[in-house]
């Protein structure tokens, strides 16, 4: 039996922007091998470090190859978002350590790869400071110029509860529609365009709004309404002409199972940073495969979570497309070795051991 034991666990926090830091977890094995994971967007970076200190005392001497045992004993559905993020990051690092020890990429341990490239879409929202229609359109155009063939934006972030209580389209909603129309005009008809609604609508208003967007040929409408009422999600899905994507806020198998059985959605968006890591993401993808739903991971993340998502999605038959946080910082690619390289909107599936990257400090 292959054995490699954990010695210590550290964190590395990289300031990024007003939306938060990138938080990396470094797991050191007794033989000196290092595995990395990502715990960004936990909602509380200080709490991440506190939880890790407790986990370190539990995990010293733990065999890094016992990943299913790790998940079963420590990924408890009842725990909160921050705890799940920490567990997920440590789990990424276990896959990285296992691959490095065996000198194989992580996807080889997940059943082998179905593809050699992963298609990305550029999420331009965080980089779009100018929230005018032209501001959205110009950033979308820049991303297309860099080779991306799919763009996502969140044009309705100014829509509030008071707006949707009026039960009719209003200034804030029409402003969002204008942003989308200008973006489509600039990028042309052949680039896929997604819209993220950040759950700001109710069922009636999103159905009305979707009808206004029918001619834009959207790739999907994401998180149109909150997931508190799965029957309402199903109603929206059946009442619009465009595909519906949702699920970024869900973390457990039970939650995704319920959504897949009753939500009638077209795409689900689990996040490798919050669902228990790579194995959790793989399990959710398998659930989705039984209902012919595509898995398109939520990933407004740093390069480690992206590498983990790429390794997992390489092994997934029902993979659709992966999110990429476009334009947040200009030094992103230099943070890891080898540098993150995106060509024509695709990232190569690394054949280097583990996740295929190391952190540059």
């Amino acid at each position: 039996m292959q054995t490699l034991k954990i010695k210590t666990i550290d964190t590395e926090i990289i300031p990024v922007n007003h939306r938060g830091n990138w938080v990396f977890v470094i797991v050191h094995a007794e033989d000196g091998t290092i595995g990395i994971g990502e715990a960004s967007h936990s909602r509380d970076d200080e709490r991440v470090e506190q939880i890790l200190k407790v986990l370190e005392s539990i995990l010293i001497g733990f065999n890094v190859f016992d990943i299913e045992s790790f998940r079963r004993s420590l990924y408890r559905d009842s725990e909160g978002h921050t705890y799940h993020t920490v567990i997920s990051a440590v789990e990424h690092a276990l896959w990285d350590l296992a691959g490095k020890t065996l000198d194989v990429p992580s996807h080889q341990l997940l059943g082998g790869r179905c593809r050699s490239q992963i298609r990305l879409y550029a999420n331009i929202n965080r980089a779009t400071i100018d929230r005018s229609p032209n501001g959205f359109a110009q950033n979308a155009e820049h991303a297309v110029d860099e080779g991306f063939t799919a763009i996502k934006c969140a044009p309705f972030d100014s829509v509030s509860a008071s707006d949707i209580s009026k039960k009719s389209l209003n200034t804030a909603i029409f402003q969002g529609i204008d942003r989308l129309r200008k973006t489509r005009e600039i990028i042309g008809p052949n680039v896929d365009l997604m819209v993220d609604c950040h759950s700001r609508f109710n069922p009636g208003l999103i159905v009305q709004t979707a009808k206004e967007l029918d001619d834009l040929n959207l790739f999907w409408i994401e998180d149109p309404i909150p997931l508190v009422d799965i029957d309402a999600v199903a109603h929206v899905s059946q009442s619009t002409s465009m595909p519906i994507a949702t699920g970024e806020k869900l973390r457990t198998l039970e939650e995704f199972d319920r959504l897949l059985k009753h939500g009638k959605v077209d795409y689900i968006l689990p996040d490798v940073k919050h669902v228990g890591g790579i194995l959790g993401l793989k399990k959710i993808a398998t659930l989705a495969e039984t209902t012919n739903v595509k898995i398109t991971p939520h990933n407004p993340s740093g390069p480690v979570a992206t590498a983990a998502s790429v390794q997992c999605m390489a092994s997934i038959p029902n993979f659709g497309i992966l999110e990429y946080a476009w334009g947040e910082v200009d030094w992103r690619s230099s943070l890891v070795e080898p540098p993150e390289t995106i060509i024509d909107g695709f990232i190569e599936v690394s054949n280097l051991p583990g996740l295929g990257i190391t952190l540059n400090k």
Side-chain angles (χ1 to χ4, degrees):
M1 183 180 73
Q2 191 78 38
T3 301
L4 180 67
K5 294 182 179 181
I6 292 175
K7 182 179 180 181
T8 59
I9 303 175
D10 310 316
T11 56
E12 181 83 16
I13 299 178
I14 308 294
V16 179
N17 55 29
H18 66 288
R19 296 298 296 268
N21 305 316
W22 288 335
V23 180
F24 304 120
V25 171
I26 300 101
V27 177
H28 300 262
E30 288 182 338
D31 69 348
T33 309
I34 294 172
I36 53 175
E38 183 167 342
S40 306
H41 311 138
S42 69
R43 302 177 183 164
D44 189 340
D45 293 348
E46 184 177 343
R47 180 67 178 147
V48 166
E49 294 185 298
Q50 292 170 352
I51 294 170
L52 274 174
K53 286 187 183 299
V54 175
L55 284 176
E56 183 183 37
S57 64
I58 296 170
L59 291 173
I60 289 174
F62 182 84
N63 183 10
V64 304
F65 290 97
D66 293 340
I67 298 175
E68 182 68 70
S69 175
F70 169 84
R71 177 181 171 84
R72 283 184 169 274
S73 61
L74 290 172
Y75 192 82
R76 296 183 287 269
D77 287 1
S78 58
E79 295 284 0
H81 180 92
T82 302
Y83 177 84
H84 283 166
T85 305
V86 176
I87 293 296
S88 299
V90 175
E91 196 261 13
H92 306 159
L94 297 185
W95 283 105
D96 194 30
L97 282 166
K100 287 174 177 173
T101 302
L102 298 174
D103 197 30
V104 296
S106 297
H107 69 256
Q108 200 70 37
L109 304 175
L110 292 164
R113 67 184 190 183
C114 300
R115 57 191 59 82
S116 59
Q117 294 180 312
I118 297 293
R119 188 185 181 207
L120 305 174
Y121 67 83
N123 181 350
I124 66 170
N125 199 52
R126 293 185 179 186
T128 303
I129 306 303
D130 176 1
R131 307 299 283 183
S132 69
N134 280 333
F136 278 85
Q138 287 171 5
N139 267 353
E141 184 177 33
H142 292 328
V144 171
D145 288 343
E146 291 178 12
F148 286 93
T149 60
I151 305 294
K152 186 174 85 175
C153 61
F156 296 110
D157 278 1
S158 56
V159 174
S160 66
S162 61
D163 292 316
I164 65 171
S165 68
K166 296 171 185 175
K167 299 183 180 180
S168 61
L169 304 190
N170 52 56
T171 300
I173 294 174
F174 279 117
Q175 181 183 50
I177 293 170
D178 288 343
R179 290 164 174 162
L180 281 171
R181 289 199 172 281
K182 187 63 177 179
T183 300
R184 174 54 85 198
E185 176 189 334
I186 292 296
I187 65 176
N190 297 323
V191 174
D192 289 323
L193 180 60
M194 297 94 152
V195 54
D196 189 346
C197 298
H198 284 151
S199 302
R200 291 180 177 271
F201 288 82
N202 61 31
L205 269 186
I206 193 60
V207 170
Q208 290 182 59
T209 303
K211 289 178 180 176
E212 294 288 328
L213 302 172
D214 269 342
D215 62 313
L216 296 185
N217 190 30
L218 297 179
F219 191 87
W220 74 44
I221 296 176
E222 179 178 332
D223 285 338
I225 64 173
L227 285 178
V228 292
D229 185 346
I230 299 298
D231 289 337
V233 174
H235 166 74
V236 169
S237 184
Q238 293 172 318
S239 302
T240 58
S241 64
M242 287 162 284
I244 299 296
T246 193
E248 69 178 65
K249 295 182 179 179
L250 305 183
R251 302 190 302 278
T252 70
L253 285 173
E254 182 180 357
E255 290 172 322
F256 277 101
D257 186 51
R258 182 166 173 262
L259 173 63
L260 288 163
K261 285 178 177 175
H262 305 291
K264 302 187 185 304
V265 297
D266 304 279
Y267 301 95
I268 58 167
L269 291 79
D271 192 317
V272 77
K273 303 189 310 297
H274 311 308
V275 298
I278 292 171
L279 187 57
L281 189 56
K282 177 92 172 177
K283 288 174 182 283
I284 292 164
T286 301
L287 279 179
E289 188 179 4
T290 66
T291 55
N292 297 313
V293 170
K294 292 278 190 181
I295 185 163
T296 56
H298 183 248
N299 183 51
S301 312
V304 176
T306 298
S309 297
V310 166
Q311 287 294 317
C312 187
M313 290 302 102
S315 72
I316 300 300
N318 54 321
F319 166 69
I321 193 168
L322 176 64
E323 181 172 15
Y324 183 81
W326 178 87
E328 286 196 277
V329 288
D330 58 10
W331 42 263
R332 173 181 171 126
S333 64
S334 64
L335 192 58
V336 293
E337 185 64 38
E340 216 174 40
T341 303
I342 299 167
I343 299 174
D344 295 331
F346 286 82
I347 188 168
E348 290 287 327
V349 176
S350 175
N351 285 314
L352 295 174
L355 301 186
I357 56 171
T358 57
L359 281 177
N360 287 326
K361 297 186 178 181

